[in-house]
Structures are given as structure tokens and as C-alpha cells.
Amino acid sequence: MPKNINIQTFDALVIGSGISGLVAARRLAETKGRSIAILGTGVGASPYVHGFNMPLHPEDSVDLFLKDTLVSGRGQCDVPLATTLCSKAPELIPVLKELGIEFDRNADGSYSLLRPLGASVPRVASAGNHTGVAIMNAIKRELEANPTVYFMENTRALRLLKKDDRVIGAVVADYTNEVFSAYVADVVVLACGGFCNIYPFSTNSKDIGGDGVAMAYYAGAELTDMEFIQFEPSAAVAPQELRGKSVITTMYFEGAVLKNAKGERFMLNYSEDAECVNKDVQARCIFREIAEGRGTENGGVFFDATGVGREKLDTLYPSYVKRYADVGIDIATTPFEIAPAPHTSLGGVVINSDCSVKGLRGLYACGEAVGGIHGANRVGGNAGLEILVFGNIAGESACEFLNDNAQDAYVPCMDQANAIVNREGIPPVPGRADAIRAELGKILSEDLNVLRNGAAIEKAIAKLNELLLEVRGLTTAIPFFGIVKLLRLENDLIAALALAHSAYLRNESCGCHVRTDCPDADPESAKYRTVVSCGEDGTMKADRKNI
């Protein structure tokens, strides 16, 4: 039976209710009277943001910060975007003060900073151990007091709507009322995060998926750097209650070390800097220890924070102390098991300097949905900064677009929405969607993990194409949550296929993309960008573009 589709109109639609979306909405709301809808079924990774890189140390500067970012990015960063990231950081301090957020300071009044992997000096500034939550709560309180800002909680955008080259809204699933709506807006901000939760084991929360990049892809956007998945070296593998939760790697500069099942501090065998190497290097080393049989009972290695000392742990890392204490582990005396897990997708939508999406009018993107900023490897603490800097730019640019590009009150879009929600096709066999999801997870875990090789990736592409065609051939004339499951599965397959095509195209190792069949490459020959787009015939195209 065909599903009815409601139509709702707004001045602006923000897809994503984490920090980047809230920051963008805050800028949009500066013009009074604008109707702004903020969508989300969760808040993604924002609550877990410990702090942000800020060049506040006496020996630091914007230039040094940028140098660290570009070096860590292995020459693959979009330099103008990386420059914006670093240069705009100091400008955020007064903005955060407006929200009541003050960075922690030492007794002498200096900023209390932590040193992340990839940084030359201490750089992560925080407001307690729950900086992300504090910022979200502050912005949300401000926006909730605005009568024309609408928090559409428990709603998820699944496809974008277009008129010619302009994005005019989105098809949205309302989980509470079990209905689909066409949200039509003058401008749309895509801020729904990355896609690492398409992997069966990741640090990401369950509301994260491939929807953002897939929606943009179907609308005609280009995706870049999709092969660069940053694996967090220190994700918990045990106990089960904490599986996937990461531990901040600044602890390595405070005395934490890694040990294999034999009790050996194995990082000394890989680098004279031991644990204090970039995340991409550390993840590879841990993965090899486990693969070569020196892993723990639960498939990890030991993170030993006993060298940090109880006083420092309690002062600088109380949330981690509590997290493990709640499951009976005292990290001041007892090592715990960790392993690399997909954490940050460095690839995503291609944007211009103003956060407008290349080739599409009326669509802006920010946060982890975007590609190019971090290159092939991210400095710890830069993801948190990115969502603030580019959320602010996206909101400001969307405001300017709104000033000059108001649409008619109603734009025809029902045919597009119906084609998605009331799709004809084969009725799905009970349990088949779950089986496809399991196959997707197996491909990602086996063929697109920390270590990759061309032959396996080629087979993965063929299988992913097969699964995608099968899902596309299934009807959506099924109950509401069945449709949502199918469309989300299709989106995740698009994200995985874009990742696989890009990983195959980049046939040398670079940063967090490691090809065992071509481990070494001339750095100059590797300086190109992989770009994925949807061809006119509906098939995925992957190309290289010089940086």
C-alpha cells in the first residue's frame, strides 16, 4: 500500500544535531524570524569530544599548527581547507566564551593543554572531560529559546531532493510517528557526520552511518579521500560493556605504554619514538602484533596507563578512570585490552572554501561529512576543531545564500519523494536485509581493514556491486521500519563501495591507507586525490585528480 508523504517547508534545513549542525544552525538563527529545522536520531560523536586543538602553548603558533597538520596528512591535505582549520582556531575562543565555555587552566593561569599524537607541542584544550557535551548543551539552550528553531528529534534524512542543480530539501523518516515527510527548504546544511559505523566494529555510535555521503552522492556531489579511514589505535575490545570505546592517546605523552600478550613493550621494535608516533603508524603496528599471534585473549594488546600515575589520571582523565572503574578495572594499577577500530572517516563530500558543495546550489556541508581537510592521516584533536570551524563557516555561508536565493513557497518534489518511499520491486525475503548487512560487515573487516591488498579489494568491489543491485531491486512497499532499514542499508553500501573504489584506485600505501601489495611509494607520485561520483548511467565512477 503506497505510503503517504507529508510536506513541511522551512527557510533552512540542518541535517545533523551534533556540534557541527548546531553551530551552523546558531549562525542561521542570527537573522530573526527564519524557520530552521534541525534533524537527528542522535548526536553522533559529539558527546565524546574531549577537547580541541588550539595553538595556545607559548611555543606554538598557527604556522606550527598548520605544519603539523600538513605533515600528518602525508601531503594529501586540501591546503586551503587545512589552512582555514588552523588559522580560524584562535577566533573560536571568544565565541565559546559567549556560550559560557572556558578552557581549563593551570594554577599559574596558563592553559592546561594535552599533547596529541602528531603534534609538536601540547595543543588540546578542553573544558573538563566533557567538552563536547558542554558545548552542545549551551548551543541547544540558546536555540530552544528561539521560537522559529525546530528540533525534529528522532527524525532521519535518507535522500536529498533536487530541482535542476539546486538542492531543495530531503526525504525524512519520522521514527516516532512512523511517517515519511518531504522537508522543503531554501537552503540545506549537511552535518550528519562520518560513516565509520558501517564497519561491524568501530568507535562510532549506532546513529552514525553512510547516509550523509550517500545522499550527497545521489544528488550529484563528488566524494573524495574515501579510502582514508583513520583507525583509532586504542579502542576497547574487552570487557564487552566498553567494546568500541576509545581511550585518548595523549596519555602516551604522560607515561602510558603498549604491551603485547608476552608483556613486551613492542612499539620499541617499530620506532625510536615508541608509542608517540602518528595514529596511522601506531594502528599498523598494533594490527601486526595481533595478526602475528602476539595479541591478547580478546584479540587486542594491553594499554598500560600505570606509568601515568593515579594523581594525573584522576586530574586529567577522570572520565576514563570512571568508565573503567564502573566495570571493575582500576586503570592506575591494571592494563586493559585495546585494538585498532575505525574511528574517523577522513573522506567525504567535496566542498569549496565557503562550505558550499561543489556542483550543487543550496547545499552546504561541514564536519566529518566533508573530505580533504585532514588528508591521509589526522592529528589527534583536529576532528573536534573541524566541527566548530566549518560548522561556523557553513552556517555563515548558508545565511548569505538565503539572503539572495529565496524560493517560491512550494517547490514540486512529490514525484522524487514517491520514487524513493514507494519504490516498485521484488518483496524482500524475511531476514535478507540482515544477511546483506552481515555480508557487508565481513567484506569491510576482511578486505578494507587496516591492511589491504588489490586483489581482495577488487573482489570486494564486485561483491558490493552485487549486493547494491540486489537492495536497489527490492520494493519499499513494506512497513515503515522495513523501508528505513532498506534505505539505510543502501546508503551504507554506497559508502562502502566508494571506499572500496578509492582504495583500489590508490594502489600505493599512504597514511592510514596501507596496501600490502605496494607498501612503499614515491611521495611525489602519491600526490593526487581520489574522487568518486555517480555516472549518468547510475554506476559509480572513480578518478584521480592532481593535488
Side-chain angles (χ1 to χ4, degrees):
M1 182 145 181
K3 303 290 184 298
N4 291 325
I5 300 173
N6 302 315
I7 294 181
Q8 299 193 50
T9 60
F10 301 92
D11 293 318
L13 176 62
V14 177
I15 301 174
S17 53
I19 291 176
S20 60
L22 293 176
V23 170
R26 185 173 186 256
R27 290 306 302 266
L28 281 159
E30 287 177 357
T31 300
K32 292 183 179 180
R34 280 180 175 159
S35 58
I36 303 164
I38 303 171
L39 309 182
T41 55
V43 289
S46 292
Y48 307 104
V49 172
H50 181 96
F52 311 96
N53 276 337
M54 292 277 179
L56 300 171
H57 191 274
E59 298 175 11
D60 206 356
S61 66
V62 168
D63 288 343
L64 180 59
F65 183 14
L66 178 59
K67 180 182 176 182
D68 286 346
T69 298
L70 298 179
V71 168
S72 288
R74 311 302 187 213
Q76 301 296 315
C77 298
D78 181 310
V79 176
L81 293 180
T83 302
T84 296
L85 175 76
C86 299
S87 62
K88 293 288 185 181
E91 297 176 18
L92 293 171
I93 294 175
V95 176
L96 293 172
K97 282 184 178 179
E98 286 177 17
L99 295 168
I101 307 297
E102 296 276 359
F103 288 133
D104 296 338
R105 293 179 181 264
N106 298 312
D108 63 0
S110 62
Y111 285 102
S112 176
L113 304 171
L114 298 174
R115 184 178 174 185
L117 296 180
S120 300
V121 295
R123 191 174 284 141
V124 175
S126 59
N129 268 239
H130 302 284
T131 309
V133 173
I135 291 175
M136 279 193 301
N137 288 344
I139 299 177
K140 198 167 183 182
R141 281 194 299 270
E142 188 178 292
L143 292 175
E144 284 175 339
N146 187 325
T148 61
V149 174
Y150 306 91
F151 282 89
M152 316 303 285
E153 296 178 347
N154 225 19
T155 58
R156 192 174 194 95
L158 296 167
R159 290 288 189 280
L160 295 176
L161 297 168
K162 283 179 65 181
K163 180 184 179 183
D164 301 322
D165 68 341
R166 181 167 176 175
V167 172
I168 58 171
V171 173
V172 176
D174 179 340
Y175 287 16
T176 302
N177 299 304
E178 298 185 24
V179 296
F180 290 97
S181 298
Y183 280 36
V184 179
D186 288 342
V187 71
V188 178
V189 177
L190 192 66
C192 50
F195 57 89
C196 280
N197 199 48
I198 66 174
Y199 283 82
F201 173 56
S202 81
T203 64
N204 289 192
S205 57
K206 293 186 183 300
D207 60 303
I208 294 172
D211 301 308
V213 292
M215 285 190 288
Y217 167 85
Y218 274 131
E222 291 182 336
L223 308 178
T224 190
D225 289 352
M226 293 292 285
E227 70 273 29
F228 296 137
I229 300 292
Q230 187 167 58
F231 288 78
E232 179 62 46
S234 55
V237 293
Q240 186 61 38
E241 301 97 310
L242 299 183
R243 187 170 172 81
K245 299 287 187 185
S246 61
V247 175
I248 192 167
T249 51
T250 59
M251 284 194 201
Y252 295 124
F253 291 103
E254 310 285 351
V257 298
L258 293 169
K259 295 179 180 178
N260 60 26
K262 297 180 178 180
E264 299 166 335
R265 189 181 169 191
F266 62 87
M267 284 302 298
L268 294 170
N269 300 326
Y270 294 99
S271 171
E272 62 182 18
D273 294 320
E275 290 80 11
C276 298
V277 293
N278 274 283
K279 287 190 176 190
D280 57 342
V281 176
Q282 192 180 104
R284 290 200 298 272
C285 297
I286 295 172
F287 195 85
R288 286 193 171 114
E289 285 295 304
I290 298 166
E292 292 172 9
R294 295 182 292 278
T296 61
E297 179 183 353
N298 293 294
V301 297
F302 288 113
F303 188 114
D304 186 347
T306 59
V308 178
R310 187 176 299 281
E311 183 178 351
K312 251 185 188 177
L313 287 170
D314 287 342
T315 302
L316 298 177
Y317 306 103
S319 62
Y320 297 99
V321 172
K322 183 180 185 304
R323 178 187 297 171
Y324 276 87
D326 287 346
V327 293
I329 297 174
D330 180 0
I331 65 173
T333 61
T334 309
F336 47 92
E337 295 175 77
I338 56 96
H343 180 60
T344 307
S345 46
L346 305 184
V349 182
V350 176
I351 60 169
N352 299 307
S353 59
D354 64 350
C355 287
S356 59
V357 175
K358 183 180 176 183
L360 292 170
R361 296 176 63 243
L363 180 64
Y364 295 81
C366 55
E368 203 177 330
V370 167
I373 298 169
H374 307 292
N377 180 64
R378 175 182 62 85
V379 177
N382 269 4
L385 178 62
E386 174 193 3
I387 58 181
L388 288 174
V389 168
F390 290 97
N392 195 55
I393 293 172
E396 182 178 9
S397 300
C399 281
E400 292 175 2
F401 183 86
L402 268 178
N403 291 338
D404 302 319
N405 295 278
Q407 299 179 127
D408 295 332
Y410 171 71
V411 179
C413 61
M414 290 306 293
D415 287 348
Q416 292 179 62
N418 270 312
I420 295 163
V421 174
N422 294 305
R423 184 174 71 193
E424 295 182 357
I426 301 167
V429 174
R432 181 57 185 152
D434 292 332
I436 293 173
R437 171 73 64 185
E439 289 185 69
L440 168 60
K442 187 171 185 291
I443 291 167
L444 290 165
S445 297
E446 294 181 358
D447 303 327
L448 293 160
N449 212 304
V450 176
L451 304 181
R452 307 164 177 176
N453 74 79
I457 298 171
E458 191 171 19
K459 290 179 182 177
I461 290 171
K463 185 61 179 176
L464 288 169
N465 269 318
E466 181 184 314
L467 295 174
L468 180 60
L469 285 173
E470 181 180 350
V471 171
R472 282 175 172 169
L474 298 175
T475 181
T476 54
I478 53 179
F480 173 84
F481 283 108
I483 300 174
V484 173
K485 179 184 281 191
L486 274 185
L487 294 179
R488 287 203 63 189
L489 178 57
E490 183 177 343
N491 288 344
D492 289 355
L493 284 165
I494 287 291
L497 191 57
L499 159 58
H501 272 294
S502 301
Y504 185 73
L505 196 61
R506 187 174 293 280
N507 55 12
E508 71 282 306
S509 296
C510 184
C512 56
H513 168 66
V514 183
R515 286 282 296 262
T516 58
D517 49 339
C518 187
D520 300 310
D522 176 2
E524 292 305 313
S525 70
K527 285 188 178 180
Y528 56 86
R529 201 168 298 293
T530 58
V531 177
V532 172
S533 60
C534 186
E536 291 183 7
D537 60 354
T539 60
M540 187 173 286
K541 299 190 305 178
D543 300 298
R544 294 181 178 186
K545 292 190 178 180
N546 292 332
I547 294 177

